[in-house]
Amino acid sequence: MSQQATMRRQWLLLQKLDRSRRGHTLTELHQFLEDENGPCSRRTVQRDVKMLRDDVGFRIRRDADDRYRLENSGVGAQPQLAMSTTEMVALLLAEESTRRAPMAGALQDVFSRTRAMMPEAQRQFVERLKPFIQTTPKPRVMMEDLHYRHVQEMSEAINQQRRVRMYYRSVRRGLCERVLDPYLLWQAHGVMYIVAHDHLTGEKRTFAIPRIVELTILDEVFEPDPTFDPTDLTRRGFGVFNDDTRKIQVEFHRDIAYLIEERLWHYTQRSEATPWGRLFTWHMAGTIELARWVAGYGGFARVMTPPALAEQVREIHESALRDTR
């Protein structure tokens, strides 16, 4: 049994226990998991509950009537989160930057409870402070209510390990039907993506949520590919596009090298001083996006390797020169 399947079962169990004040018998939990997640044994349910209690540390109690209860669960029964006044102020100052985020609804509940804990004078202080602390968000694709519903449906499909059918507006194929095994929701560069196995191409790919026109969760349950790590796909590229991982070396002129050095562009980043400036080395995929980024620095950046990336940057510069004549 894969770790992903175990985590999904345990997350379902935790949510089920958290929603009930009376608790549930082992039979009820077993039936719930089979209804929501497919066949499993009572012994598996017992093992999952034991792991949540003993290994993870959730306070799950088995009462004399053989009902399992999650202590401190339910509305109003959770212990208050201890926060200092400055921490509460900082939290409310971050409110604007979270609007329209995928989990904005849950976050708004946190903000509301935080306000309720503060005296009126402190709440007014936060409102007066907001204009002096501003955040400029990165450009993001505008998402409508339909797209947020698709995020929730994809999350449900991932949780239940069920296939989905969607009509997707692809740049190359236009509007087409796709059947996916969804693995992971991924927010990158202001866009929500789904990482999934695509039955049309037979590949593990990413799809932008805002391009989904229609989505249906199917009754079919899929078995995850044990050789595929969806988080690896999200980490290996410079951006969202993925090709082969390769060694990338770009040298930046000393006048701007500090701009690159100040940020971690990829977790494999290394750099060293050169007579011309600074040489940066990465091992990553996504040369299409990387070429556009490097080209944006003009003559202050030069690709040392691979040759294919250098050619892509050269073509971008030449195209720009042709278009301005």
Side-chain angles (χ1 to χ4, degrees), residues 35-99:
D35 291 343
E36 292 292 323
N37 198 53
C40 66
S41 67
R42 288 170 60 92
R43 181 173 295 179
T44 296
V45 180
Q46 285 179 310
R47 185 174 65 246
D48 285 341
V49 171
K50 185 177 185 298
M51 185 177 296
L52 286 169
R53 182 190 62 208
D54 298 343
D55 297 347
V56 186
F58 288 108
R59 299 175 63 184
I60 300 175
R61 183 180 74 250
R62 184 179 180 182
D63 290 344
D65 56 357
D66 283 338
R67 303 186 75 85
Y68 291 92
R69 291 180 174 84
L70 179 62
E71 294 184 352
N72 297 319
S73 66
V75 177
Q78 294 284 3
Q80 286 193 344
L81 176 64
M83 287 193 296
S84 69
T85 300
T86 53
E87 288 170 339
M88 290 191 288
V89 170
L91 181 63
L92 293 179
L93 289 173
E95 181 177 9
E96 189 63 31
S97 63
T98 66
R99 294 192 188 279

Side-chain angles (χ1 to χ4, degrees), residues 187-217:
Q187 185 173 25
H189 304 285
V191 184
M192 285 296 297
Y193 295 89
I194 182 72
V195 178
H197 173 78
D198 177 25
H199 285 260
L200 181 64
T201 63
E203 300 174 345
K204 305 296 190 296
R205 299 184 54 188
T206 59
F207 297 89
I209 295 291
R211 292 182 185 161
I212 299 175
V213 177
E214 183 178 323
L215 179 67
T216 304
I217 302 177

Side-chain angles (χ1 to χ4, degrees), residues 140-152:
R140 66 176 186 267
V141 173
M142 299 302 295
M143 287 180 58
E144 302 172 356
D145 291 341
L146 173 66
H147 304 142
Y148 286 102
R149 190 172 79 238
H150 289 162
V151 169
Q152 297 300 322

Side-chain angles (χ1 to χ4, degrees), residues 113-131:
R113 290 201 298 271
T114 302
R115 281 195 184 86
M117 294 166 58
M118 300 175 70
E120 177 62 25
Q122 292 182 10
R123 293 198 295 267
Q124 292 178 4
F125 172 79
V126 171
E127 294 305 315
R128 293 197 303 271
L129 188 58
K130 281 183 178 180

Side-chain angles (χ1 to χ4, degrees), residues 163-180:
R163 289 197 172 102
V164 299
R165 177 183 290 112
M166 70 176 183
Y167 287 93
Y168 187 77
R169 198 175 301 280
S170 170
V171 175
R172 288 183 297 176
R173 299 175 182 266
L175 185 63
C176 60
E177 181 181 0
R178 316 294 275 259
V179 175
L180 307 179

Side-chain angles (χ1 to χ4, degrees), residues 256-276:
I256 66 157
Y258 71 94
L259 296 173
I260 314 303
E261 183 75 7
E262 287 176 343
R263 302 182 187 183
L264 182 66
W265 301 92
H266 192 260
Y267 72 95
T268 61
Q269 180 169 306
R270 300 290 184 274
S271 70
E272 58 185 280
T274 66
W276 194 65

